[in-house]
Amino acid sequence: MSFVFRLISQDEDAAPSVAFQDSISPGYVPLWEKVGVYDALYNSDGRRGRDVSRAVAYGIDQLVEDESLGRMLPPTCRLGEAIRFLENVHRGCVTHASAVIETR
């Protein structure tokens, strides 16, 4: 089972639609806690993309600046995948700033 981060957009007269979606293994949770993005990812249901974009950007900076953080990951997880996921989430949150976050 993987963690899914979605941004749901709703135009005035249209039905809600998925504006952005990405997923990642739950094996990254200790890393998310260490770099300060756990709440922005896992406790953000109902918030707007703009509400978490700054925390996600900070997490990306932490990962890029300190490659030793990769040592806390289980063998099946990769630091590059963590960076890719956070960069995608950040881009989605900036692009769809008013979209509502939904996680699973």
Side-chain angles (χ1 to χ4, degrees):
M1 184 171 185
S2 61
F3 169 73
V4 178
F5 186 94
R6 286 187 186 128
L7 291 166
I8 307 298
S9 176
Q10 183 170 5
D11 293 331
E12 291 178 24
D13 297 328
S17 63
V18 176
F20 168 82
Q21 177 174 309
D22 201 351
S23 62
I24 197 162
S25 159
Y28 291 89
V29 167
L31 184 63
W32 301 151
E33 291 171 336
K34 180 73 174 173
V35 299
V37 298
Y38 181 87
D39 282 338
L41 296 175
Y42 283 82
N43 296 323
S44 58
D45 275 359
R47 296 176 70 192
R48 303 280 178 183
R50 72 175 140 267
D51 297 337
V52 301
S53 63
R54 182 174 287 190
V56 173
Y58 178 77
I60 294 166
D61 289 345
Q62 298 298 306
L63 293 177
V64 170
E65 290 175 11
D66 187 357
E67 290 182 13
S68 70
L69 291 168
R71 292 186 210 131
M72 33 184 335
L73 293 172
T76 59
C77 297
R78 301 283 179 257
L79 186 60
E81 179 65 8
I83 293 169
R84 180 210 61 81
F85 176 77
L86 287 185
E87 285 176 339
N88 284 346
V89 167
H90 182 258
R91 189 176 313 106
C93 287
V94 170
T95 303
H96 307 285
S98 62
V100 175
I101 296 169
E102 180 181 278
T103 61
R104 296 186 195 258

